[in-house]
Structure formats: structure tokens, C-alpha cells
Amino acid sequence: MPPREPASAVGALLDMLALSLGGAVALGFARFAYALLLPVMRADLGWSFTLSGAMNASNALGYLLGAVAATALAGRLGLKRVFTGGLLLTAVSLLLCALTAHSGALLTLRLLAGVGGALVFVSGGGLAALAARSHPERSALLLGVFYGGSGIGIMLSALLLPPLLAGGWRGAWVGLGAASLACLLLTLRPLTRFPDRGGGGAAGQATAPLQPLAWTLAAYTCFGIGYIAYMTFIVAFLRASGAGGLVTPFWAVLGAAVVVSPVVWRSLATHAPGARAMAVQMLTLATGAALPLLSIHPMILFTSGILFGVSFLAVVTFTTIITRRVLPEQGWARGIAAFTVLFAAGQVTGPLLTGALADTAGGLRPGLGVSAAVLLLGAALALRQPAQA
């Protein structure tokens, strides 16, 4: 019997890696890859920075709507069905973006991709939290692997999109949609081995109190506002600043940093009292966001990508860790959904604010500076979370 335990742990890690492909699609492809398409689409379609930001704000609005609906849907249909349905909706929405240049239609498709992404992330987070119970000593690592899937999506988009964009932005959307369908197929078999909270959990979730998470929820709202401005506009900023040749390696390095982030933060996330880990992570994010404003020297830019990549999804991982610490098990899905709703609300604001500042102030620098300041505020709020959490 003892020799089976390592195999079980390895199996859990591999299954979590497969589940993380949902994050690769929901965020890596559906949201963050847009930063690579944005300069080409903006040049071809004549978009303002405000409209450019509105495309990701629409995605975030869809994410908000999906997060609001996710807990009720999971209670009725089960986490697994919501996860696969969200993945399919996201993949189809990305494919359809290749068929139109109409801004209204693209805004609608970006919104639908956001709805699907939220369904994937909330249900996937619930599945990951339930599965991590079987390996409490590795729970932070397992949860980090799930959320680190977005880094896989970022790295894959860095490899996939540049050659496709050489032929225009439509082919890039087809590539993202096709890759998303492939990820869906790869998750189906491992998904059968995950525990699924059936329809009985909704009542318990409705009564789980969220007040113990108040300071962390406020900090996470700041995180949503601050991080998305960087992830939406950093590629456009690099191109406008004369560093366009560094975009592909920069994006790949950022994605690689996301993938290794569970190892970097594992000990701190597991043992830090309250939301101390979250505060340190957001301080690291703010530093990474501010560095390109100081210099576009390649070493500075790559340091920015590493600091930002190694931290931004670590913050997401920590919200699940603290939810599991503070709330009873029947409230985990509700807690994750609450974080996701506020996260999405912040993400609606971030791209619109940065885009509007860029149009009125003559460039992206002011908006990116504001995003770094908001991340600093979030770090300060996280420090208020009671230590016993």
C-alpha cells in the first residue's frame, strides 16, 4: 500500500495539469492573447484606444455575468458540466471572431467568451479545491498548477500567434479557437476522475457568510482593475515605445513565469497568516507594472515580465486558498464566485480607464502608471485581512 501513495500524488498532479487547460483557454487564449492581436487589429480597423480597451472590458463584463450565474448553474448541473460547457462556449466565440470586422459583433463575441471563461474558472476552481482535499500537504501546489494553466495559454499564444498574424488577425482567431477545442478534448477523460459537487450544494452555498473575507475581497477588486490594464496594453506600449522586436520573447517569458509561480509562492501561500502572501504578491505586481515606465531596456522589460508573470495568477490561487481556510466546504464555490465577480467588476473598469487616459493624455503611460498605483492600494488592503484567516 505505501508505494501507491506517490503514484496517487503524481496522478493528482497530472489530472490537475489537464484541468489547468481550462485556464489556458479561459484567460490565456480568450483574454490575454488579445494583447497580441490588438496592435494588428487596431491598425487594420482604425480603432481608438478607448474602443481597444472596450473589447477587453466587454470580455470582463461577460466574465462578470458568467461569475454571477456560475454558482447556481453548478448547483443545478454539477461542476463538470459547467466546466465543459464553458470551454465549448469560449472556443466557439473565439472562432467566430474571425468572421467579422464589425465592432458591435466583436464586442458581443468578446462578451460571450468572457461568460464562458468565468464558467470555466469558477467551476474549475471548485473542482480543484475539492480534489486538493485528498492531498492537504500539496494543496497549495495543486491549486497553483490549476491556476497556472493561464501561463500555458500565454506561452502557447506567444508561439502560435506571430506566424498567424503575419497573414492577418482573422487567422489568429481561428488558431485560438482551434487550440481551445483541442484543450477541451484533452480535459474530457481526466475530468471523469474529479469529484463533482452535484445539485445538492446550492442551498449551503447560499448561506455561507462572506464577511470574514471582506478585506481580501476589496484587495482583489483592486487587483482586477490594476493587472488587466498591463495585460491588455503592454504589447501596444512596447510597440509604441520602439521595443516591438521584443514582444514575442517578452510574452513567452511572462507565460513561463506564470507556469513556475506555484513553486515560487508555495511556502508563503501555505504558511503566511491572513492575506500576507497576497500583499507581497500584489507589491511584486506593482513593481513589475511600473518598470516599463522607467525604461525600455531589454533587461528591465524582461524583469517586468518575470515579476508580473510570477505574481499575477498567484494572487488568484491565493484567493482559493484563503476561501478554503475561512469558509466551510459547502461555501467554497460561493466564495470563489464572489472573488470572481469582484475580479470581473474590476476588469471592466481597468481597460476602459487606461484606454480613455491613453486617448486624452496622448499615450498609454498615464494609464499604466495608474494601474501600478491601484495594485499598491490593493496590497495595503490585503494587509488588513485578519491574521487568523
Side-chain angles (χ1 to χ4, degrees):
M1 186 170 297
R4 295 182 60 86
E5 180 58 30
S8 174
V10 171
L13 188 63
L14 292 175
D15 284 345
M16 198 68 78
L17 185 61
L19 190 71
S20 77
L21 294 177
V25 173
L27 293 183
F29 293 163
R31 179 167 305 155
F32 302 142
Y34 170 71
L36 295 174
L37 282 87
L38 172 58
V40 179
M41 295 186 74
R42 187 168 178 266
D44 185 41
L45 302 176
W47 288 351
S48 65
F49 280 119
T50 301
L51 180 56
S52 301
M55 289 292 167
N56 247 11
S58 180
N59 182 265
L61 178 59
Y63 202 84
L64 174 60
L65 297 175
V68 170
T71 303
L73 285 174
R76 177 171 297 189
L77 302 175
L79 292 167
K80 295 179 185 179
R81 289 181 180 176
V82 174
F83 184 84
T84 54
L87 265 179
L88 182 61
L89 174 60
T90 306
V92 171
S93 301
L94 294 177
L95 283 170
L96 292 177
C97 284
L99 301 182
T100 181
H102 190 274
S103 59
L106 286 169
L107 285 167
T108 300
L109 290 171
R110 295 295 290 149
L111 183 140
L112 291 175
V115 172
L119 296 178
V120 170
F121 225 60
V122 173
S123 61
L127 288 167
L130 288 171
R133 293 179 309 178
S134 301
H135 302 274
E137 74 286 358
R138 298 182 180 89
S139 61
L141 176 63
L142 290 171
L143 291 170
V145 168
F146 168 71
Y147 289 112
S150 300
I152 296 174
I154 293 171
M155 286 196 300
L156 289 176
S157 64
L159 298 173
L160 177 69
L161 293 187
L164 294 176
L165 285 169
W169 53 267
R170 294 180 188 271
W173 284 117
V174 171
L176 289 173
S180 299
L181 289 174
C183 288
L184 170 59
L185 293 175
L186 289 171
T187 64
L188 292 179
R189 185 173 179 83
L191 198 61
T192 62
R193 294 189 285 271
F194 278 81
D196 190 359
R197 190 198 321 270
Q205 294 163 18
T207 59
L210 298 179
Q211 292 91 336
L213 296 172
W215 287 109
T216 316
L217 289 166
Y220 202 53
T221 305
C222 292
F223 169 70
I225 295 171
Y227 102 94
I228 193 61
Y230 181 96
M231 292 299 291
T232 300
F233 288 112
I234 187 60
V235 171
F237 177 81
L238 294 181
R239 291 187 184 279
S241 302
L246 296 175
V247 166
T248 296
F250 171 85
W251 203 247
V253 165
L254 192 153
V258 174
V259 173
V260 302
S261 64
V263 177
V264 174
W265 296 105
R266 179 183 179 182
S267 178
L268 182 63
T270 303
H271 302 294
R276 301 299 186 271
M278 187 182 197
V280 174
Q281 290 158 355
M282 291 189 68
L283 182 60
T284 307
L285 276 173
T287 303
L291 283 178
L293 304 178
L294 304 177
S295 172
I296 59 168
H297 186 279
M299 289 302 297
I300 298 294
L301 293 178
F302 285 123
T303 300
S304 168
I306 291 170
L307 291 177
F308 207 92
V310 83
S311 302
F312 86 93
L313 281 172
V315 177
V316 182
T317 303
F318 183 77
T319 62
T320 300
I321 292 172
I322 201 167
T323 296
R324 293 172 74 243
R325 288 181 191 171
V326 172
L327 299 184
E329 182 180 323
Q330 67 269 22
W332 287 355
R334 182 173 184 242
I336 293 169
F339 276 114
T340 307
V341 167
L342 292 176
F343 178 56
Q347 289 180 124
V348 173
T349 306
L352 291 175
L353 175 63
T354 305
L357 284 172
D359 283 331
T360 57
L364 289 166
R365 185 175 295 272
L368 291 175
V370 168
S371 74
V374 172
L375 289 169
L376 277 175
L377 173 61
L381 291 173
L383 288 173
R384 302 295 302 274
Q385 180 70 37
Q388 62 268 26

